[in-house]
Amino acid sequence: MRYHPTEVVSADELEAIHHASLRVLAEIGMDFLDADAREILRAAGASVEAGSQRVRFDPEMVTEIIRTAPSSFTLHARNPAHHVRLGDDWVAFGTVGSPPNVADLDRGRRIGNREDYQNLLRLSQMLNAVHFLAGYPVEPVDIHHGVRHLYATFDALTLMDKPIHAYSLGRQRNIDTLEMARIARGIDAEQLDREPSIFTVVNSSSPLRLDTPMLQGIMEFAAHNQIVCITPFTLSGAMAPVTLAGALAEQNAEALAGMVLTQAVRPGAPVIYGGFTSNVDMQSGAPAFGTPEYMRTAMIGGQLARRYGVPYRSSNVCAANALDAQAAYESVFSLWGAIMGGVNLLMHGTGWMEGGLHASYEKTILDAELLGMVAAFLDPVVVDEDSLAFSAMEEVGPGGHFFGAEHTQSRYRTAFHKPMLSDWRNYETWEEAGSPELPAKANRIWKALLAAYEPPPMDAGIREELEAFVARRVAEGGVPTDY
């Protein structure tokens, strides 16, 4: 990130949001639905109401405990070439995560399944614009949910060699995925505890509640020094106040409460401040994304994360149902809000559609195009004797052109960003080529990428150990069905 993030609100206004959040935590409090979490917070100085799930926080306790949260850290992949640095000025792009449905131009919209899940993993491995797996690119619904995390994590660790995500859906699932990440990297438990190798997103059940599976995820991951991204799901007008300031105050209160728990479990545990405040359509109640409200809260969320000195998460999202202009412009707005908000961890970078209800193969390619443009935008502008090109201007002189100049000829192949999708031909040439439009071109590209895919190498012994772990845990029944 080579540009200063946009400061949407003044320093005084930012402090007003901060103090409003502390007042919410002190006077209203939050419900923590797990007794172990409540006990950890009580021992750390929070006030736990007897016979209740309500926890209240002294403002000084909050600000003091979160001081130990690190400003940056590395998320380790099984392939060291794909480690990503999170925090400070580093930016990383992830896949879409968690849609229950999937779609493409050939077969339309359908329920998520393992075949499509695996194909989207393969695309994510092939696309350079994708730096990490941000959750299941589509939910493999055809795998029983008691063992889904085992098969899905195995696929993620074998079909990709980029950093991965695990869902906080109860303690046992966290324990399983931590062990699989350890096996895949070929390291021991002590090294895993030193090197964050997997991350989880914890969504509060807004307003002002954290449920048992999410709290168990915080406690397990923080205890093992793995990354927890606290992300309140604060939709203004529905699960948060209709005013942006009020929604942000609630978002901030919920994020701070989660951050406190991570540091109470293990001071210095890596934690990310997540912003996901948007608005709803007040006529239908449907979530809206890529809106002016979303852009502003994305940027203010970054201001809040920087105030606390922790990395910031935002998302590339839209509410479009088809790969049309709406899908593109809402994603551009979301991306711009995230980038100018100083995002470090960009979730849902490729493929998100329909407010997160389906993943699209073609949108995956469109988003990869957008992320590639963002990456090119973040490249530095080189200013030196060679790039100032006096010799080229001297060679061409007044009234000439630069196409044939040596300066151009030696650089033209790499001088500019080369898009995958944009068509820069003139109208006549484009028409002669059959008037191709973007969705069909994206369709051809994802198919070509899948045809060219080769799985990343994995040591045979490590793969056997992973397979044996999955087989044993499946034989044991996976996770009980009460979650």
Side-chain angles (χ1 to χ4, degrees):
M1 182 64 182
R2 303 177 190 278
Y3 306 102
H4 293 296
T6 301
E7 306 289 332
V8 177
V9 295
S10 69
D12 289 345
E13 291 167 333
L14 194 71
E15 286 305 290
I17 295 171
H18 166 70
H19 288 294
S21 304
L22 295 180
R23 184 183 179 193
V24 169
L25 292 177
E27 298 182 22
I28 303 173
M30 274 186 68
D31 283 353
F32 283 70
L33 306 192
D34 183 86
D36 291 339
R38 292 195 298 273
E39 178 55 29
I40 290 170
L41 292 171
R42 187 201 61 76
S47 173
V48 180
E49 200 172 288
S52 168
Q53 297 170 328
R54 187 67 52 89
V55 179
R56 292 180 173 84
F57 300 79
D58 178 78
E60 290 185 5
M61 171 225 174
V62 172
T63 55
E64 188 59 33
I65 285 183
I66 65 172
R67 290 185 196 279
T68 58
S71 62
S72 66
F73 36 81
T74 297
L75 173 56
H76 295 77
R78 72 175 180 88
N79 178 355
H82 291 313
H83 293 345
V84 294
R85 189 73 183 165
L86 299 173
D88 299 329
D89 293 330
W90 297 97
V91 184
F93 304 141
T95 63
V96 67
S98 309
N101 303 293
V102 65
D104 61 55
L105 291 182
D106 301 298
R107 292 175 288 171
R109 185 177 181 273
R110 54 197 179 273
I111 295 174
N113 57 84
R114 192 179 186 186
E115 180 184 1
D116 284 309
Y117 168 71
Q118 292 175 330
N119 278 337
L120 289 169
L121 291 178
R122 294 181 179 104
L123 278 181
S124 302
Q125 174 69 16
M126 293 288 284
L127 290 165
N128 292 332
V130 174
H131 304 133
F132 64 91
L133 183 67
Y136 304 161
V138 67
E139 193 77 21
V141 179
D142 52 347
I143 306 175
H144 187 275
H145 59 83
V147 295
R148 187 179 302 163
H149 68 290
L150 297 167
Y151 290 113
T153 304
F154 177 84
D155 289 344
L157 289 168
T158 54
L159 297 176
M160 298 178 67
D161 59 3
K162 298 178 182 181
I164 69 164
H165 164 278
Y167 290 103
S168 285
L169 297 175
R171 179 172 285 114
Q172 186 58 55
R173 286 184 177 87
N174 296 132
I175 292 170
D176 287 342
T177 53
L178 285 169
E179 177 64 5
M180 293 180 74
R182 183 199 67 77
I183 293 170
R185 289 196 60 214
I187 60 178
D188 59 23
E190 184 180 352
Q191 187 172 352
L192 180 73
D193 280 8
R194 290 198 312 270
E195 298 179 349
S197 303
I198 192 168
F199 81 102
T200 190
V201 172
V202 167
N203 294 122
S204 47
S205 302
S206 304
L208 302 174
R209 186 173 68 177
L210 276 161
D211 63 25
T212 297
M214 292 290 167
L215 289 167
Q216 290 181 350
I218 291 177
M219 292 184 289
E220 286 298 325
F221 269 59
H224 291 283
N225 197 41
Q226 302 304 303
I227 300 167
V228 178
C229 177
I230 308 289
T231 308
F233 193 65
T234 39
L235 290 177
S236 182
M239 289 92 81
V242 74
T243 55
L244 296 190
L248 285 163
E250 183 188 310
Q251 169 189 290
N252 200 52
E254 294 177 8
L256 288 175
M259 289 167 59
V260 166
L261 181 57
T262 66
Q263 301 309 296
V265 170
R266 179 171 178 154
V271 63
I272 296 172
Y273 182 110
F276 202 72
T277 293
S278 191
N279 55 297
V280 296
D281 176 2
M282 296 306 292
Q283 280 66 53
S284 67
F289 296 106
T291 63
E293 291 77 19
Y294 183 88
M295 285 186 71
R296 287 179 287 171
T297 58
M299 289 188 275
I300 297 169
Q303 288 184 257
L304 288 162
R306 290 189 295 279
R307 190 205 180 284
Y308 306 120
V310 294
Y312 177 51
R313 168 257 166 105
S314 190
S315 302
N316 171 24
V317 286
C318 71
N321 296 304
L323 195 71
D324 55 13
Q326 180 185 344
Y329 67 68
E330 287 183 349
S331 287
V332 168
F333 267 53
S334 295
L335 274 175
W336 199 245
I339 294 298
M340 298 317 295
V343 67
N344 303 113
L345 183 88
L346 184 82
M347 297 287 287
H348 308 304
T350 54
W352 169 294
M353 290 286 288
E354 194 192 340
L357 292 180
H358 86 253
S360 162
Y361 281 81
E362 287 80 21
K363 181 65 158 39
T364 295
I365 303 303
L366 170 60
D367 284 332
E369 175 85 303
L370 295 178
L371 294 178
M373 293 176 74
V374 169
F377 168 73
L378 295 177
D379 280 343
V381 174
V382 177
V383 180
D384 57 19
E385 186 67 26
D386 194 42
S387 64
L388 288 169
F390 179 84
S391 62
M393 290 183 275
E394 185 178 44
E395 176 186 345
V396 172
H401 67 76
F402 287 82
F403 286 114
E406 189 281 330
H407 188 271
T408 303
Q409 290 294 307
S410 62
R411 293 167 177 78
Y412 75 92
R413 293 184 186 277
T414 58
F416 307 125
H417 172 69
K418 186 175 181 180
M420 288 192 295
L421 287 173
S422 295
D423 194 327
W424 293 343
R425 294 174 291 187
N426 62 35
Y427 184 88
E428 289 75 17
T429 305
W430 169 80
E431 190 176 40
E432 288 173 4
S435 306
E437 297 190 8
L438 183 145
K441 187 174 182 181
N443 180 270
R444 292 194 299 273
I445 290 173
W446 71 254
K447 290 175 180 175
L449 287 173
L450 285 184
Y453 169 85
E454 294 182 3
M458 174 178 264
D459 178 83
I462 288 176
R463 187 181 180 95
E464 288 174 7
E465 188 177 357
L466 265 180
E467 290 173 341
F469 177 84
V470 171
R472 176 175 66 80
R473 288 290 297 117
V474 170
E476 292 170 351
V479 175
T481 59
D482 55 352
Y483 280 135

